[in-house]
Amino acid sequence: MRKHILILAVLVSGCITAKAQFSVGVKAGVNYSTIDANNLKNSSVAGYQAGVFARIGGSVYLQPELYLSGTGGQFQSNDNVYSGTVKFTNLDLPVLLGVRFGPQKLNFRIMGGPVFTTILNTDESLSQNFNTAYNDFKSYKNLTVEGQLGAGVDIGPLTVDLRYQAGVNEVNEDYQQRQNLWALSVGFKIL
């Protein structure tokens, strides 16, 4: 993780010294996440995200972000005997490469890249018989890598993004659990 932050810092400082366009802002939004698991039905839960972003570059740009998010999923066995809900509080570090086009005051954007996610807290609500049947179900990794693709629009200092995020590796290898989500966020460029 430290290596990734160091690489990001070098990229940011290189872009700044090259006199590239640079902006910083805050963002917040909602997400709908699902954790896919083998042999279980799943459904989405609503969550949140809030944090900061930087955008470096012109028509092609680098956008590192850092935000706190709430994600998770609901599970139910195929015979409806076992059920549960898992919610995570995460620290997310997306490093996105994007392209922007359109007039100066109305930029349209597409972007994509990796998201490094650290689980800070896990809140589980599993039925008693779920714990008995799947006693190692909650063996979650602390660090995962996901991929994110999205589109957005900037209207002056206001920025709006819609993104899809898919798990590259599993949050739990024993049950091949991968987290996927849709996120809608609104941001404001302060610099």
Side-chain angles (χ1 to χ4, degrees):
M1 184 72 165
R2 290 181 187 173
K3 182 170 80 173
H4 298 296
I5 292 172
L6 180 61
I7 291 169
L8 181 62
V10 169
L11 285 172
V12 169
S13 64
C15 289
I16 290 171
T17 49
K19 296 190 180 181
Q21 294 176 350
F22 180 75
S23 59
V24 175
V26 295
K27 64 181 277 185
V30 295
N31 65 51
Y32 295 95
S33 60
T34 304
I35 300 175
D36 297 325
N38 283 350
N39 302 321
L40 294 173
K41 295 185 284 186
N42 55 53
S43 58
S44 297
V45 296
Y48 63 89
Q49 63 183 38
V52 295
F53 69 92
R55 195 174 298 152
I56 306 126
S59 59
V60 176
Y61 64 90
L62 178 69
Q63 182 166 318
E65 301 178 344
L66 184 64
Y67 56 83
L68 194 65
S69 69
T71 61
Q74 292 181 331
F75 308 99
Q76 196 166 35
S77 62
N78 291 326
D79 57 5
N80 297 325
V81 174
Y82 311 115
S83 64
T85 301
V86 176
K87 293 185 179 181
F88 301 118
T89 302
N90 308 307
L91 184 63
D92 296 314
L93 175 66
V95 182
L96 307 173
L97 185 62
V99 176
R100 61 177 144 193
F101 49 92
Q104 181 71 17
K105 297 287 182 182
L106 182 68
N107 285 314
F108 295 97
R109 299 175 287 104
I110 54 174
M111 77 286 289
V115 179
F116 304 96
T117 300
T118 300
I119 297 175
L120 301 175
N121 185 41
T122 303
D123 182 21
E124 300 158 340
S125 173
L126 305 174
S127 63
Q128 184 62 34
N129 52 2
F130 192 102
N131 282 329
T132 304
Y134 300 98
N135 60 354
D136 58 349
F137 190 78
K138 47 192 172 186
S139 299
Y140 297 111
K141 289 182 177 179
N142 288 333
L143 178 64
T144 60
V145 177
E146 294 148 6
Q148 196 174 85
L149 292 173
V153 63
D154 295 336
I155 305 167
L158 187 67
T159 179
V160 179
D161 289 345
L162 177 63
R163 300 181 189 169
Y164 178 72
Q165 184 170 312
V168 173
N169 58 357
E170 291 112 357
V171 292
N172 181 331
E173 293 175 349
D174 296 333
Y175 294 95
Q176 288 80 44
Q177 296 177 32
R178 291 182 191 271
Q179 185 163 248
N180 304 306
L181 64 86
W182 284 96
L184 178 64
S185 65
V186 176
F188 188 79
K189 292 183 260 182
I190 54 179
L191 177 72

